[in-house]
Amino acid sequence: MFRKLITAMALLAATFSANAALEIQITGGINEGRKIAVMPFEQPMIGIDVASVVSADLMRSGKFSPLPKSALPSHGKLNQIDLKAFEGSPAEAVVVGRVFPDGDKYQLEFQLVALQGANKGKILAHYRGPSNLETMRKAAHRVSDRVYKHLTGQEGAFRTRIAYIVYRHSDKYPYQLMTADYDGFNETPVLRSAEPIMTPSWSPDGSSLVYVSFERRAPAIFIHNIYTKKRVKLAAFKGLNSSPSWSPDGTKIAMTLSKDGQPDIYYYDLNVRKLIRVTSDRSIDTEPTWDENSNALYFTSDRGGRAQIYRFDFATRKTDRVTYQGNMNLSAKKIPGSDALIVVTQQNGYRVARVDKDGSIYMLTTSALDESPSVAPNGSMVIYSTVYQGRKGLALVSADGRFKANLPSTQGEVSAPSWGPIVDR
């Protein structure tokens, strides 16, 4: 079964359409987070409702449940918060702000004001900065990031981007590697091909992607700078070249190669330009992924009889089995800032699950054909590929399983999502 799955992975690449919008459709968890009020911003007609972007960001994090507009006071502006209007409100804080012209640009300003406890009425966070119309959505995400960090202590991930593959059967170049803001806006094509493209992985500085391309009818691994468009072929050995994964420190790219027989784990050291073998086993070792310190690799192996997750530690040179529950566990991704992993587990289909430090598995999804999970760089959310209404698309779930949403495409099929790093671009 596992060997058939590997073969299918090597031949499969399904994805998304060039002009398609990823419109998030929430399916669960909307009322389970911490209550917060986001007042309408004072702003001119600029084609974007900043407060709505902020409210949607906070809700999608799985941590917050913004009050509906019907539950907000009729007034509340920057430096003019009427605390009495919020008496009896469950919200712990309120976001107020404005956007106003400033020469040939705009200024965006916001305040986060406490509504409960000893800090009631206190300004907890404040920001003012320039933006033009093209970057206004990013500026709104910046507000969300600051609110999220102040209230949770974690970095926000709302200005991050995702990469994914789009497949349109009728297109001349049906396979398309795309990037977009985490919420599906500002979609940008990176590569279009007549042959499959698979498993993109971001560089830690957000400038490049490494991926598998079948453009010469055989798998090869490329590094692709998304700004300069420069491409470098990294691996094109006979047999399998798959599952590239960039290390968080930016110095290495792990991959699966079968050039020496069975599929094993290797990494390419970008500093010394040398390929180094990590595993040498008669079983199938695949899907390498790094821990957050680049000190260990997690990978999938059937060396125990069925596919499970293993961990190779570079300091001790030891390999330990990580997962024991479930028929099979695949596609491990470390949750930053924790001892937990995200995996695809075979239990009543293939579902996204969290593996905690004690080895216990907590199911995050209820669908049956989930694959390719990728974790937000702050550890709060997971994006993955699934089948929704008969079509392959993307979905979101919070790492605690409370918030759930689908990101259907209006055309084409979408797969292989990769969540980019937090970068201040």
Side-chain angles (χ1 to χ4, degrees):
M1 167 66 186
F2 181 53
R3 293 173 186 269
K4 290 181 180 179
L5 180 62
I6 293 296
T7 302
M9 287 169 57
L11 296 175
L12 227 156
T15 83
F16 200 117
S17 104
N19 298 315
L22 293 173
E23 183 177 350
I24 297 180
Q25 297 180 359
I26 298 166
T27 58
I30 190 171
N31 295 316
E32 298 181 22
R34 295 162 61 179
K35 305 300 181 185
I36 189 168
V38 182
M39 296 295 295
F41 279 34
E42 299 176 82
Q43 63 170 83
M45 297 291 290
I46 55 175
I48 176 175
D49 184 337
V50 173
S52 293
V53 173
V54 174
S55 181
D57 283 343
L58 296 175
M59 178 175 57
R60 292 171 192 145
S61 73
K63 303 287 187 183
F64 297 95
S65 293
L67 300 184
K69 289 185 178 181
S70 60
L72 296 174
S74 57
H75 60 281
K77 300 180 180 180
L78 203 72
N79 299 314
Q80 297 181 30
I81 290 296
D82 182 0
L83 296 179
K84 290 184 178 180
F86 285 95
E87 287 184 1
S89 171
E92 63 180 273
V94 58
V95 180
V96 292
R98 61 176 180 150
V99 178
F100 57 94
D102 182 20
D104 60 351
K105 292 189 176 182
Y106 292 87
Q107 290 286 332
L108 186 154
E109 185 176 13
F110 93 96
Q111 293 174 345
L112 175 68
V113 181
L115 295 176
Q116 307 285 348
N119 288 326
K120 185 175 181 179
K122 180 180 177 181
I123 297 174
L124 304 175
H126 171 263
Y127 168 79
R128 175 175 170 175
S131 175
N132 54 39
L133 291 179
E134 291 74 23
T135 61
M136 190 60 70
R137 177 170 286 274
K138 181 178 178 180
H141 291 319
R142 187 185 296 274
V143 172
S144 307
D145 281 338
R146 291 181 179 242
V147 171
Y148 184 90
K149 183 174 183 179
H150 185 87
L151 294 178
T152 69
Q154 291 181 311
E155 293 291 338
F158 304 115
R159 284 177 292 150
T160 54
R161 290 181 66 77
I162 57 174
Y164 47 88
I165 309 298
V166 178
Y167 175 72
R168 288 194 297 179
H169 176 73
S170 60
D171 200 278
K172 179 180 179 181
Y173 299 102
Y175 298 95
Q176 302 170 7
L177 173 60
M178 297 287 194
T179 63
D181 295 348
Y182 96 97
D183 57 0
F185 284 82
N186 298 316
E187 187 180 60
T188 305
V190 175
L191 179 68
R192 302 181 183 191
S193 177
E195 302 298 332
I197 309 167
M198 301 177 65
T199 58
S201 172
W202 287 91
S203 64
D205 65 0
S207 69
S208 300
L209 290 164
V210 61
Y211 55 84
V212 175
S213 173
F214 282 75
E215 61 199 60
R216 295 187 181 274
R217 302 296 179 91
I221 297 174
F222 290 87
I223 296 175
H224 192 134
N225 188 297
I226 63 175
Y227 300 108
T228 68
K229 312 301 182 184
K230 181 180 178 181
R231 284 209 309 165
V232 176
K233 186 184 293 183
L234 192 63
F237 299 101
K238 183 179 180 180
L240 192 66
N241 303 275
S242 70
S243 307
S245 175
W246 216 309
S247 65
D249 65 8
T251 65
K252 305 175 186 69
I253 296 176
M255 64 193 76
T256 300
L257 304 175
S258 64
K259 68 185 186 68
D260 297 314
Q262 289 292 98
D264 276 305
I265 308 301
Y266 297 73
Y267 71 84
Y268 186 84
D269 190 312
L270 295 166
N271 290 331
V272 300
R273 299 183 180 181
K274 183 179 180 181
L275 186 67
I276 299 170
R277 190 170 186 169
V278 177
T279 67
S280 181
D281 197 274
R282 294 167 61 185
S283 59
I284 293 175
D285 296 338
T286 188
E287 298 183 321
T289 185
W290 299 87
D291 74 354
E292 58 194 303
N293 299 313
S294 305
N295 295 327
L297 278 169
Y298 295 90
F299 61 95
T300 306
S301 178
D302 66 350
R303 61 184 62 190
R306 290 189 175 186
Q308 295 292 345
I309 306 302
Y310 290 77
R311 181 180 185 272
F312 175 85
D313 188 292
F314 283 97
T316 64
R317 312 300 296 181
K318 288 180 59 179
T319 299
D320 296 309
R321 183 170 169 174
V322 176
T323 57
Y324 289 87
Q325 294 186 23
N327 294 326
M328 292 201 307
N329 291 289
L330 315 161
S331 306
K333 296 292 187 298
K334 186 75 162 52
I335 300 179
S338 78
D339 294 315
L341 295 174
I342 295 297
V343 302
V344 172
T345 188
Q346 187 192 29
Q347 295 189 37
N348 299 318
Y350 292 89
R351 300 163 61 185
V352 175
R354 189 184 70 238
V355 180
D356 292 329
K357 185 178 181 179
D358 62 0
S360 60
I361 293 181
Y362 178 79
M363 307 301 287
L364 298 179
T365 66
T366 57
S367 37
L369 286 172
D370 301 338
E371 59 185 19
S372 306
S374 183
V375 183
N378 66 354
S380 64
M381 299 291 293
V382 181
I383 192 168
Y384 61 99
S385 176
T386 191
V387 175
Y388 176 68
Q389 295 181 345
R391 175 182 287 179
K392 181 168 285 192
L394 304 183
L396 286 170
V397 63
S398 58
D400 60 11
R402 292 190 302 187
F403 176 84
K404 295 179 174 66
N406 286 304
L407 289 77
S409 167
T410 56
Q411 47 187 321
E413 294 192 320
V414 192
S415 68
S418 177
W419 209 313
I422 295 173
V423 292
D424 194 11
R425 289 186 184 275

